[in-house]
């Protein structure tokens, strides 16, 4: 281990101010921020979208200029290994090229934009080594292989010859981490490196970064808005709000005794696994500054609304000269469940487990191969196109990315009113009043009705999407990762809104998510999906307090908890790689069979491959 006691900080940000030039004059991205990062220490910078946390890191890399920003004040002192300390704010771009990648590594949020799609993984890993370290081709390839082994990528020799699009999201992120670590930088900047990843992969990558930091003594600046990740990773925490640092301290102190009202509000908005223990029904979260007397549990009813039986959806894989059918992707395999009126069923699982395909199959946005879907008395599978369109009045969907599901050229009032026009409901004055009521319902000011999607934040756009889904008074709403891209406090508000609407209007939700803490907060029943099948299903309390299937247990173990005294160790995480869901055309899977371990709590007995 390195001795970190008497060394000066590796990076010291002093009074940083960053401005962006816009048509309306300069906009301040970071106003006045100072903090230090020492060797072998992880400093987590937390805050919500627009707080200036990413701008601070891009300033250290001097990449902020390429995004239209300029460093208007302050010093960025970086202690170089074999040379004098430099002020990065004043450094020439030529020297910055030597420092960037070589002495300061960066892991970006979106691995696909950080990797070049036209070069192999091996070529991209060796490029920096040959440029900065002067290694020969053979030496660089040896080092690249060692790096892939270090970040625990399976079959590393094969991966070096592959292109980024051939890897999964988690593997791409590992390649980006390996690239950032290639030249053994003194400072590693990680900008939301696990936001887009599944729980299990996130747990592995956090444990990996923690281990690499201990082994190499690298200083880490970790940027995130996920407080559970902060609890897992940080030594010290810097809380940012609107371009300023509002609080800084050791991780235990920030979590157990926060001083600034913003830090307190941020921590209050984090759903924590285990909070719902002993509560029979879901209930909205207690948020700062809201009247808390109104928080009531949501029991729902015992009347079934949606019945799904034996749902199977497969996607064809075509190949060869004549584009013949060569295999099938078994996305959803023999899935059955019931959702009661006024209740929420959550489907959880990792990317590629089939949960989104299941949601889309129920609305017949993708056509299932087999199965029964009944909404009330309507047999959804038997409907022709015209009747299916009418049936969709009762079933609506909220998508993960509201920006992609809203029309950029239409005012928001018109987008919320559009479903009503399409189905000839609530015409004229009645329609206008209903749109106003919907904006009030989702807590958006009526002045927003004339705005366009790009003029809103992510959380506000998601509220518009919810208002539009409610426009036709549906009975069932399928929410596909509807809150996963939102900041903590916005996520809490949107979840509360969905639960309050459920209580008022007897709405039923199919809630698709990979965030176990959110699922525990909102669900009446939970189904865990793995490789297209539901491997475990039951009432929320039973599933969370008594998980039976090995995959459910592994999933629960991986969830980071927003408490720095309950950190996960790398040895506790033992995940099997997920097998491929692609099978030859003639393959016939066994039907799903279940054991009832407690009343209403079912566990798959058919071999699911886990």
């Amino acid at each position: 281990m390195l001795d970190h006691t008497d060394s000066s900080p590796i990076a010291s940000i002093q009074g940083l101010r960053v401005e962006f030039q816009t048509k309306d004059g300069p906009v301040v991205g970071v106003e006045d921020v100072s903090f230090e990062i020492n060797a072998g220490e992880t400093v987590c910078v937390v805050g919500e979208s627009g707080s200036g946390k990413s701008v601070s890191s891009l300033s250290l890399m001097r990449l902020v200029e390429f995004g239209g920003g300029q460093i208007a004040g302050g010093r960025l002192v970086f202690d170089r290994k074999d040379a004098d300390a430099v002020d990065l704010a004043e450094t020439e771009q030529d020297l910055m090229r030597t420092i960037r990648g070589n002495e300061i590594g960066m892991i970006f949020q979106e691995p696909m934009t950080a990797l070049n799609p036209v070069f192999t993984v091996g070529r991209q890993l060796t490029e920096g080594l040959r440029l900065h370290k002067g290694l020969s081709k053979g030496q660089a390839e040896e080092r690249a292989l060692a790096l892939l082994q270090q970040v625990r990528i399976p079959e590393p020799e094969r991966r070096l010859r592959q292109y980024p699009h051939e890897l999964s999201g988690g593997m791409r992120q590992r390649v980006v981490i390996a690239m950032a670590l290639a030249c053994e930088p003194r400072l590693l900047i990680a900008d939301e490196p696990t936001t887009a990843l599944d729980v299990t992969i996130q747990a592995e990558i956090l444990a990996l970064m923690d281990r690499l930091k201990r082994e190499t003594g690298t200083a880490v600046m970790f940027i995130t808005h996920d407080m559970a990740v902060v609890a897992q990773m940080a030594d010290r925490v810097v809380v940012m709000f609107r371009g300023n640092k509002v609080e800084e301290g050791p991780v235990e102190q920030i979590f157990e005794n926060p001083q600034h009202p913003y830090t307190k509000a941020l921590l209050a908005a984090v759903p924590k696994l285990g909070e719902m223990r002993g509560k029979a029904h879901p209930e909205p979260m207690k948020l700062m500054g809201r009247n808390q007397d109104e928080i009531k549990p949501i029991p729902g009813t015992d009347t079934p609304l949606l019945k799904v039986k034996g749902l199977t959806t497969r996607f064809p894989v075509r190949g060869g000269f004549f584009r013949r059918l060569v295999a099938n992707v078994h996305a959803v395999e023999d899935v059955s469940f019931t959702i009661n009126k006024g209740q929420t069923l959550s489907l959880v699982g990792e990317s590629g487990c089939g949960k989104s395909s299941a949601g889309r199959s129920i609305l017949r946005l993708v056509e299932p191969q087999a199965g029964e879907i009944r909404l009330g008395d309507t047999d959804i599978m038997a409907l022709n196109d015209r009747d299916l369109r009418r049936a969709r009045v009762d079933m609506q969907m909220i998508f993960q990315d509201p920006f992609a599901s809203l029309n950029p050229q239409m005012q928001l009032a018109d987008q919320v009113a559009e479903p009503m026009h399409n189905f000839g409901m609530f015409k004229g004055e009645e329609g206008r009043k209903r749109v106003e009521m919907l904006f009030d319902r989702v807590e958006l000011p009526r002045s927003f009705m004339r705005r366009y999607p790009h003029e809103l934040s992510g959380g506000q756009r998601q509220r518009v999407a919810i208002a539009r889904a409610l426009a036709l008074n549906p009975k069932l709403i399928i929410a596909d990762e509807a809150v996963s891209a939102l900041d903590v406090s916005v996520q809490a508000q949107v979840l509360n809104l969905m639960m309050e609407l459920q209580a008022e209007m007897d709405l039923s939700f199919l809630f698709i998510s990979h965030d176990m803490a959110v699922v525990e907060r909102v669900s009446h029943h939970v189904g865990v999906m793995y490789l297209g099948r539901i491997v475990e299903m039951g009432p929320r309390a039973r599933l969370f307090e008594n998980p039976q299937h090995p995959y459910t247990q592994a999933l629960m173990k991986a969830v980071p908890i927003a408490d720095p005294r309950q950190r996960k160790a790398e040895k506790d995480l033992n995940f099997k790689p997920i097998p491929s869901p692609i099978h030859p055309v003639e393959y016939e899977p066994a039907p799903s069979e279940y054991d009832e371990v407690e009343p209403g709590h079912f566990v798959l007995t058919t071999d699911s491959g886990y």
Side-chain angles (χ1 to χ4, degrees):
M1 259 326 262
L2 305 172
D3 179 25
H4 306 317
T5 45
D6 56 0
S7 58
S8 59
I10 282 189
S12 169
I13 296 177
Q14 302 164 8
L16 175 67
R17 181 183 175 88
V18 181
E19 293 177 356
F20 291 86
Q21 298 304 324
T22 67
K23 288 198 287 260
D24 305 327
V27 172
V28 178
V30 172
E31 204 169 330
D32 176 13
V33 170
S34 307
F35 60 90
E36 295 179 341
I37 307 166
N38 299 313
E41 176 182 55
T42 300
V43 173
C44 276
V45 182
V46 297
E48 302 187 303
S49 307
S51 64
K53 53 190 194 303
S54 291
V55 173
S56 308
S57 68
L58 291 170
S59 302
L60 264 176
M61 292 287 274
R62 283 289 296 285
L63 292 171
V64 76
E65 285 113 286
F66 299 104
Q70 76 185 86
I71 297 170
R75 301 180 71 218
L76 303 167
V77 181
F78 177 63
D79 179 25
R80 297 186 68 192
K81 192 175 182 180
D82 304 319
D84 297 337
V86 290
D87 179 1
L88 298 177
E90 305 287 321
T91 308
E92 293 292 318
Q93 281 292 356
D94 281 355
L95 177 57
M96 277 311 301
R97 264 187 220 110
T98 311
I99 292 176
R100 227 182 267 136
N102 188 19
E103 295 174 48
I104 304 179
M106 183 142 185
I107 304 166
F108 292 95
Q109 179 170 356
E110 179 41 71
M112 208 52 201
T113 52
L115 293 170
N116 189 328
V118 299
F119 293 130
T120 61
V121 166
R123 164 103 187 247
Q124 296 184 59
L125 266 170
T126 53
E127 190 177 30
L129 289 164
R130 296 182 69 180
L131 178 75
H132 292 304
K133 296 277 185 242
L135 301 184
S136 69
K137 191 170 180 225
Q139 289 169 320
E141 279 169 4
E142 250 173 67
R143 172 92 177 112
L145 189 63
L147 282 162
L148 288 189
Q149 285 162 341
Q150 205 177 5
V151 296
R152 307 244 164 113
I153 282 192
E155 304 178 72
E157 293 88 350
R158 193 164 140 236
R159 303 288 174 234
L160 286 173
R161 296 192 297 276
Q162 287 183 309
Y163 290 88
H165 71 269
E166 297 179 85
L167 306 182
S168 71
M171 275 201 217
R172 285 201 286 260
Q173 195 58 291
R174 286 170 197 227
V175 170
V176 173
I177 291 174
M179 281 168 72
L181 293 168
C183 297
E184 296 170 345
R186 285 172 69 68
L187 173 64
L188 183 62
I189 300 172
D191 188 357
E192 302 265 16
T194 59
T195 306
L197 302 180
D198 289 316
V199 189
T200 49
I201 297 166
Q202 168 175 295
E204 287 183 339
I205 283 187
L206 293 178
L208 161 80
M209 286 181 67
D210 209 42
R211 175 170 58 91
L212 296 173
K213 177 198 76 174
R214 287 197 310 276
E215 286 171 5
T216 59
T218 302
V220 181
M221 175 178 171
F222 198 102
I223 295 162
T224 182
H225 64 251
D226 186 334
M227 295 308 278
V229 170
V230 175
Q232 177 72 20
M233 294 295 288
D235 297 309
R236 261 185 319 120
V237 181
V238 172
V239 183
M240 285 185 69
F241 179 60
R242 293 192 181 155
N244 286 296
K245 177 178 88 174
V246 293
E247 189 162 353
E248 177 179 4
V251 63
E252 284 93 355
Q253 189 182 317
I254 294 282
F255 273 83
E256 288 159 20
N257 187 18
Q259 299 299 311
H260 194 277
Y262 175 70
T263 315
K264 290 178 185 170
L266 203 59
L267 287 164
V270 179
K272 296 178 189 66
L273 205 62
E275 264 183 330
M276 298 296 288
R277 198 169 273 261
K279 295 182 181 177
H281 305 297
E283 55 186 57
M285 292 175 71
K286 295 179 169 61
L287 295 182
M288 305 279 286
R290 296 288 296 267
N291 185 0
Q292 301 307 330
D293 310 336
E294 301 156 13
I295 288 192
K296 296 185 182 73
I298 303 163
T301 68
D302 293 332
T303 316
L305 173 74
L306 176 77
K307 286 185 175 174
V308 175
K309 197 170 171 208
L311 184 68
T312 301
T313 303
R314 298 174 187 163
F315 299 109
V317 179
R318 299 188 180 278
F321 188 63
F322 293 110
R323 314 288 297 142
R324 285 202 184 98
L325 181 67
V326 290
N328 283 306
V329 180
H330 290 244
V332 182
E333 199 57 61
D334 196 9
V335 162
S336 307
F337 56 81
T338 302
I339 303 180
N340 291 343
K341 200 172 178 196
Q343 291 200 345
T344 299
L345 167 75
S346 292
L347 288 182
V348 296
E350 298 178 78
S351 303
C353 72
K355 55 190 190 300
S356 290
S357 297
R360 287 161 191 254
S361 301
I362 289 163
L363 290 178
R364 279 181 58 193
L365 294 173
V366 296
E367 280 295 333
Q369 262 67 38
E372 290 173 35
I373 305 166
R374 296 194 81 86
L375 186 74
D377 302 328
T378 313
D379 180 354
I380 301 293
M381 290 295 284
L383 301 178
N384 61 25
D385 287 353
R386 200 180 70 223
D387 294 340
L388 177 62
R389 186 169 178 272
R390 252 184 240 131
R392 286 200 181 130
V393 171
D394 293 330
M395 315 183 285
Q396 290 291 310
M397 190 151 187
I398 305 168
F399 294 94
Q400 178 170 3
D401 180 2
F403 202 63
S405 62
L406 294 172
N407 184 334
Q409 296 170 325
M410 274 170 81
Q411 287 188 347
L412 297 174
D414 297 335
Q415 307 215 32
V416 172
E418 192 177 25
M420 303 192 287
H421 293 315
N422 286 349
F423 289 94
M425 296 162 72
F426 309 111
K427 293 176 182 159
E429 183 64 16
E430 189 192 1
R432 198 179 59 74
K433 283 212 169 88
R434 184 163 174 80
V435 171
E436 286 176 354
M437 180 277 291
L438 287 164
F439 269 77
D440 296 345
R441 263 285 170 67
V442 297
E443 293 173 13
L444 284 174
R446 289 186 182 182
S447 59
F448 277 33
M449 287 166 63
R450 289 186 301 283
R451 289 195 180 184
Y452 292 88
H454 69 269
E455 297 177 289
L456 271 59
S457 72
Q460 289 167 336
R461 284 200 284 265
Q462 198 56 291
R463 284 164 196 251
V464 174
I466 292 172
R468 189 178 56 180
L470 291 171
L472 300 172
N473 268 342
K475 296 172 183 161
L476 170 73
I477 290 184
I478 297 178
D480 186 1
E481 299 273 14
V483 295
S484 60
L486 304 179
D487 284 323
V488 184
S489 63
V490 180
Q491 170 181 294
Q493 289 162 10
V494 170
L495 287 174
N496 276 7
L497 169 72
M498 287 165 76
M499 286 191 264
E500 282 155 19
L501 293 166
Q502 178 172 43
E504 272 173 50
M505 302 161 72
D506 252 357
L507 279 171
S508 300
F509 281 105
L510 176 64
F511 193 87
I512 297 166
S513 177
H514 64 252
D515 187 330
M516 300 299 275
V518 167
V519 165
E520 188 188 27
R521 168 62 64 180
V522 303
S523 312
H524 294 83
H525 291 85
V526 179
V528 178
M529 282 191 78
Y530 177 78
L531 267 189
R533 291 183 193 265
I534 291 182
V535 294
E536 187 162 356
M537 164 85 97
R540 183 232 30 217
R542 303 315 314 136
L543 198 109
F544 274 82
E545 288 163 31
N546 185 19
Q548 294 288 314
H549 194 276
Y551 178 68
T552 314
Q553 292 166 350
L555 208 55
M556 298 290 186
K557 214 179 236 169
V559 180
I561 297 171
D563 178 352
R565 298 186 190 278
Q566 293 188 43
R567 293 193 167 179
K568 312 275 178 197
E570 197 171 15
K571 64 177 191 304
D572 300 338
L573 306 171
N574 51 345
F575 298 110
K576 303 176 180 175
I578 294 181
S580 169
I582 300 175
H583 296 288
V585 183
E586 60 277 5
Y587 174 77
E588 265 313 313
S592 300
E593 290 171 9
Y594 295 88
D595 275 344
E596 190 166 6
V597 288
E598 322 174 75
H601 184 176
F602 297 91
V603 180
L604 185 73
T605 49
T606 315
D607 178 31
S608 60
Y610 192 83

